Amino acid sequence: MSGLSRRGVLGLAGAGVAAVGIGAAAGVLASGEPAPAPRGPDPSAPVPFRGQHQAGIITPAQDRMHFVAFDVTTRDRGALVELLREWTAAAERMTAGREAAEGGAVGGSRQAPPADTGEALDLPASALTLTIGFGPSLFDDRFGLADRRPEALVDLPHFRGDDLDAKRGGGDICVQACANDPQVAVHAIRNLARIGFGKVAVRWSQLGFGRTSSTSTAQATPRNLFGFKDGTNNLKAEDPAALAEHVWVTEGPRWMVGGTYLVARRIRMHIEIWDRTSLAEQEDIVGRAKGSGAPLGQTAEFDPVDLHVRGAGGVPLIPDDSHIRLASAESLGGARILRRGYNFTDGSDGLGHLDAGLFFVCFNRDSRKQFIPMQQALSAHDRMMEYLEHTGSGHFACPPGLAEGRFWGDDLFG
Amino acid sequence: MSGLSRRGVLGLAGAGVAAVGIGAAAGVLASGEPAPAPRGPDPSAPVPFRGQHQAGIITPAQDRMHFVAFDVTTRDRGALVELLREWTAAAERMTAGREAAEGGAVGGSRQAPPADTGEALDLPASALTLTIGFGPSLFDDRFGLADRRPEALVDLPHFRGDDLDAKRGGGDICVQACANDPQVAVHAIRNLARIGFGKVAVRWSQLGFGRTSSTSTAQATPRNLFGFKDGTNNLKAEDPAALAEHVWVTEGPRWMVGGTYLVARRIRMHIEIWDRTSLAEQEDIVGRAKGSGAPLGQTAEFDPVDLHVRGAGGVPLIPDDSHIRLASAESLGGARILRRGYNFTDGSDGLGHLDAGLFFVCFNRDSRKQFIPMQQALSAHDRMMEYLEHTGSGHFACPPGLAEGRFWGDDLFG
């Protein structure tokens, strides 16, 4: 039994996809049209854990996400630092497709609890990334971090229409797990929670079943639960100049230089009401054609958005209260964000409907200048807001990536 | 735009897996050992909707599930029958990889709500199956069905330790959607709910992120959130004699002959407590080795279970209160069930833990003789019960498959 390891065994879903390389995914459809661009790297392969920036930000968005926010329950600063060191080791192992700790699920003493929970034993790395962030509440008086709090890590303001559930927001520390196999993402969060037993408690968590954003030009644009392609104009990994301008922190405390700020919003979508609106109205609300994803007035998805084009009677083809106009850099003084959202479905709402929507995650260099003014514009004017309800919210400072030998938070606590 | 159809376009996750045939998945690992058996058919291909039995029962278990239970809100029998007819047409289309209705998301009038919600526009069929069942409550006095209720469709008894949430159980009609892409499964349920607007309301729904059962010998055995291989001795599609004995109904009302009874149980697993028990205790509770899945006393997963083998001092190697002993056909007078469960994670429990577990689904010929006595034995004696909490429950009569021209429920209502 001790010979079993996640490195050595491929199985289940992993076996199905492991053999798919870039070439295998390319092809020509029966219609004679070329198939969409291949997805990029092998979806079962590992993503490097260490580097200049944390993985899971500009990494090509994996198919599934499990996001968790923890409350720190210990009051012992040293214990928290030790936990971050342990977490770093476990995260590095798991993102490489290994078990959470030496010995793993079955290789240790039979008389002791196993060092890994085992449900990912047969699964490959599945492009798992684990991305950590620190919330405003961590910088209170418990750990002596008050003077380390970045000015940009503000408490998010109330946005018009917010209906936030305190049990789905906030948290001292967040970890975003993304992977192409949900079992791998859930396993990672669960093992981090286990390692943190007695020091942290799960405050809230969210499973995203399908990605709604592309973060690489190699990825096709997915659809959200309104049926529209989402995030066509997202920042992409292949545009380092734009990332430097809009994502990576250069100011503030030293421990954040090279990092970025994560905003999470659980957005319930009232899909049943949306589904009763006409196609024309839906397209006017979004500002794009539902089929192709082309901006209104254009013909293809990636045609540049022209906010000035007018139709009959001089009416703007992209309405003044449409989503893409209000969210555009042109309307926001150049502000852009890196989106990394996921569709969710959490049972029913008790009123005869699915509880479904978008778990919105974005990264930006300064939420005060990017996400917040964007959300203020959207919450005040976006016609789509009639169909949305923001039910969860979080703001976290994600430090830069780790060089060899470093661990999560050592610059913050050091 | 009207040229766009789900048949004509492959994209997103679908493009990645569409090219993987049986051959592509086979291989030899770096360790020199042969790779596990390939997964079987192309995971993006359609599964036939019509046949002797409903699809989604012995169909090789797809990776993801979205299960829904509806309350019928109309009191008009004719309206309900018409809905079942409409649902059948939509289900047949969607399982073929097409949109829910003619015109679809973008091909109809721009002044009308689209006939499909659109989020699966670019996705292949992904082996979608839609399986319908009728709950005990449908056979009350509303629709004149009281004398059509099968005797086997009992109200499930209270089992020791049940902690059922009424909002996660029951329902007049259930639909189980299984697919290899969760967006395809969610899309199907959402479109059925939409078609049923004003006639049915979503009572509860459950997303299963990863399968825990194999229903074909071509599939590797997956792991549940206790980290163990689950359902090694499951009934399999390749054993029609066993299916005839344990799954397919031959008695009772004519409309159920060729059908089967579905039992759903939402089983919260207290994984945090489980994770603190020793490997030896975990294996004693399950009755199998955690790594290989072999029955205790044997060496390989599929070695026959020997309940009589004893170790030092004459103690049974498979303890009297172990899960596999209590659930075995040998202990239950030959009773077996077809399992089709999925792992779930639904946020947190508000007490610092993940709300995670197993969404147990099984099919059997007569729950009174199979599932119920099995669950009575388990709930009374299984040591694993210390770590489990049954929080949702449903019992449904799934009619046989449909011949051409037939629709869901026409024999029941006819």
Side-chain angles (χ1 to χ4, degrees):
Chain A
M1 282 192 314
S2 61
L4 193 76
S5 82
R6 289 189 55 196
R7 268 195 194 286
V9 180
L10 287 177
L12 308 177
V17 293
V20 183
I22 291 177
V28 173
L29 299 175
S31 63
E33 300 198 27
R39 303 179 66 209
D42 174 356
S44 69
V47 172
F49 176 69
R50 295 180 185 272
Q52 184 183 4
H53 305 295
Q54 288 196 70
I57 299 169
I58 63 167
T59 305
Q62 300 93 325
D63 290 342
R64 326 284 171 218
M65 167 186 271
H66 191 200
F67 187 97
V68 68
F70 293 103
D71 290 324
V72 179
T73 54
T74 181
R75 289 293 180 272
D76 180 339
R77 177 185 165 119
L80 175 57
V81 171
E82 182 54 31
L83 171 61
L84 290 165
R85 192 190 302 269
E86 281 183 70
W87 269 1
T88 306
E92 184 162 23
R93 292 178 60 99
M94 292 190 288
T95 55
R98 300 169 65 203
E99 295 185 85
E102 200 67 42
V106 298
S109 161
R110 294 195 70 247
Q111 304 316 316
D116 180 282
T117 59
E119 71 270 26
L121 264 181
D122 316 302
L123 305 177
S126 307
L128 174 68
T129 55
L130 293 165
T131 312
I132 195 166
F134 302 112
S137 56
L138 188 69
F139 298 86
D140 60 14
D141 55 8
R142 286 173 295 168
F143 307 108
L145 296 175
D147 63 353
R148 296 288 179 104
R149 178 170 171 173
E151 284 183 22
L153 188 62
V154 295
D155 295 310
L156 293 178
H158 175 84
F159 298 104
R160 196 187 293 191
D162 272 4
D163 187 19
L164 302 182
D165 176 354
K167 291 180 195 144
R168 296 189 193 271
D172 294 325
I173 301 177
C174 78
V175 180
Q176 170 199 277
C178 295
N180 290 317
D181 184 331
Q183 184 117 337
V184 170
V186 170
H187 168 267
I189 295 297
R190 183 244 190 116
N191 278 269
L192 294 181
R194 176 172 187 254
I195 292 168
F197 176 71
K199 300 174 186 170
V200 295
V202 173
R203 181 180 174 89
W204 56 280
S205 91
Q206 181 67 50
L207 191 72
F209 69 75
R211 73 178 174 93
T212 62
S213 302
S214 301
T215 58
S216 165
T217 55
Q219 298 183 295
T221 310
R223 290 181 187 270
N224 62 26
L225 294 183
F226 285 158
F228 278 76
K229 295 188 180 186
D230 202 343
T232 294
N233 273 344
N234 202 16
L235 294 171
K236 300 283 166 68
E238 293 79 6
D239 188 353
L243 296 173
E245 184 179 351
H246 300 292
V247 176
W248 305 125
V249 172
T250 54
E251 307 99 2
R254 190 181 58 87
W255 68 269
M256 270 298 290
V257 172
T260 183
Y261 293 92
L262 181 159
V263 179
R265 305 284 290 183
R266 183 179 184 278
I267 306 175
R268 169 85 191 277
M269 292 160 82
H270 293 288
I271 54 180
E272 297 82 3
I273 306 173
W274 176 263
D275 289 346
R276 278 172 240 146
T277 62
S278 72
L279 177 60
E281 180 157 347
Q282 291 181 7
E283 294 185 336
D284 279 349
I285 290 170
V286 174
R288 290 185 180 274
K290 192 166 192 174
S292 64
L296 296 183
Q298 314 300 328
T299 54
E301 182 191 350
F302 291 100
D303 287 349
V305 175
D306 181 351
L307 298 177
H308 308 288
V309 64
R310 291 171 184 274
V315 177
L317 283 184
I318 297 180
D320 288 342
D321 53 4
S322 67
H323 186 76
I324 69 164
R325 175 185 290 274
L326 292 164
S328 69
E330 186 174 341
S331 303
L332 292 167
R336 299 178 69 189
I337 58 173
L338 174 67
R339 301 183 54 162
R340 199 171 231 277
Y342 286 80
N343 295 321
F344 73 81
T345 309
D346 292 338
S348 66
D349 68 356
L351 300 169
H353 310 119
L354 297 176
D355 181 1
L358 173 68
F359 186 64
F360 171 97
V361 172
C362 79
F363 296 93
N364 57 192
R365 186 172 156 183
D366 189 336
S367 304
R368 295 171 299 178
K369 300 175 184 168
Q370 295 165 265
F371 171 77
I372 291 173
M374 181 180 297
Q375 185 55 26
Q376 282 169 330
L378 292 171
S379 64
H381 303 298
D382 185 2
R383 266 178 73 203
M384 193 184 285
M385 285 296 293
E386 290 178 37
Y387 306 91
L388 303 178
E389 191 180 344
H390 286 238
T391 58
S393 181
H395 192 199
F396 299 92
C398 301
L402 296 175
E404 289 299 331
R406 308 310 300 271
F407 63 91
W408 279 343
D410 58 357
D411 276 339
L412 169 60
F413 285 90
Chain B
M1 280 189 321
S2 60
L4 193 74
S5 83
R6 290 188 53 196
R7 269 196 193 285
V9 179
L10 288 178
L12 306 177
V17 293
V20 183
I22 291 176
V28 174
L29 299 174
S31 64
E33 302 197 25
R39 303 179 67 209
D42 174 355
S44 69
V47 172
F49 177 69
R50 294 179 186 272
Q52 183 184 2
H53 304 296
Q54 287 196 69
I57 299 168
I58 62 167
T59 305
Q62 301 94 325
D63 290 341
R64 325 284 170 220
M65 167 186 270
H66 191 200
F67 187 97
V68 67
F70 293 102
D71 290 324
V72 179
T73 53
T74 181
R75 289 294 181 273
D76 180 339
R77 176 184 166 117
L80 175 56
V81 171
E82 182 53 31
L83 171 60
L84 289 166
R85 192 190 303 268
E86 280 183 71
W87 269 0
T88 306
E92 182 161 23
R93 291 178 60 99
M94 292 190 287
T95 55
R98 299 169 65 204
E99 296 184 84
E102 201 66 44
V106 298
S109 161
R110 293 195 71 244
Q111 303 317 315
D116 180 281
T117 60
E119 71 271 24
L121 264 181
D122 316 301
L123 305 176
S126 306
L128 174 69
T129 54
L130 293 165
T131 312
I132 195 167
F134 302 114
S137 55
L138 188 70
F139 298 85
D140 60 14
D141 56 6
R142 287 173 293 168
F143 306 109
L145 296 174
D147 63 354
R148 296 288 178 104
R149 177 170 173 174
E151 285 183 23
L153 187 62
V154 295
D155 295 308
L156 292 178
H158 175 83
F159 298 104
R160 195 187 294 190
D162 273 4
D163 187 19
L164 302 181
D165 176 354
K167 291 180 197 145
R168 295 188 194 272
D172 293 324
I173 301 177
C174 78
V175 180
Q176 170 199 275
C178 295
N180 290 316
D181 184 329
Q183 183 118 336
V184 170
V186 170
H187 168 266
I189 294 298
R190 183 245 190 115
N191 278 269
L192 294 181
R194 176 173 186 253
I195 292 167
F197 176 71
K199 299 173 185 171
V200 295
V202 173
R203 181 180 173 89
W204 56 280
S205 91
Q206 181 67 51
L207 191 72
F209 68 74
R211 72 178 175 94
T212 62
S213 303
S214 301
T215 57
S216 165
T217 55
Q219 298 183 296
T221 310
R223 291 182 187 270
N224 63 27
L225 293 184
F226 285 158
F228 278 76
K229 294 188 180 187
D230 202 343
T232 293
N233 272 345
N234 203 16
L235 295 170
K236 299 283 166 70
E238 292 79 7
D239 188 353
L243 296 173
E245 185 179 350
H246 301 291
V247 176
W248 305 125
V249 171
T250 54
E251 308 102 1
R254 188 180 60 84
W255 69 270
M256 270 298 289
V257 173
T260 183
Y261 293 92
L262 181 159
V263 178
R265 304 283 290 183
R266 184 181 183 277
I267 307 176
R268 167 83 190 278
M269 292 160 81
H270 292 290
I271 54 179
E272 297 83 4
I273 306 174
W274 177 263
D275 288 345
R276 277 172 241 147
T277 62
S278 71
L279 177 59
E281 180 156 348
Q282 290 181 8
E283 294 185 337
D284 279 351
I285 290 170
V286 175
R288 291 185 179 273
K290 192 166 190 173
S292 65
L296 296 183
Q298 314 299 327
T299 54
E301 181 190 351
F302 291 100
D303 287 348
V305 175
D306 181 352
L307 298 177
H308 308 289
V309 64
R310 291 172 184 273
V315 177
L317 283 184
I318 297 179
D320 288 342
D321 53 4
S322 67
H323 186 76
I324 70 164
R325 176 184 290 274
L326 292 163
S328 69
E330 187 174 342
S331 302
L332 292 166
R336 299 178 69 189
I337 57 173
L338 174 67
R339 300 182 55 162
R340 198 171 232 279
Y342 285 79
N343 295 322
F344 73 81
T345 309
D346 291 338
S348 66
D349 67 357
L351 300 170
H353 310 119
L354 297 175
D355 181 1
L358 173 68
F359 187 64
F360 171 97
V361 172
C362 80
F363 296 93
N364 57 192
R365 187 172 155 182
D366 189 335
S367 304
R368 295 171 300 178
K369 300 175 184 170
Q370 296 165 265
F371 171 77
I372 291 173
M374 179 178 299
Q375 185 55 27
Q376 282 168 332
L378 291 172
S379 65
H381 302 297
D382 185 1
R383 265 178 72 203
M384 193 184 288
M385 284 297 293
E386 290 178 38
Y387 307 90
L388 303 178
E389 191 180 345
H390 286 238
T391 57
S393 181
H395 193 198
F396 300 93
C398 300
L402 296 176
E404 289 300 329
R406 307 308 301 270
F407 64 90
W408 278 344
D410 58 355
D411 276 339
L412 168 60
F413 285 90

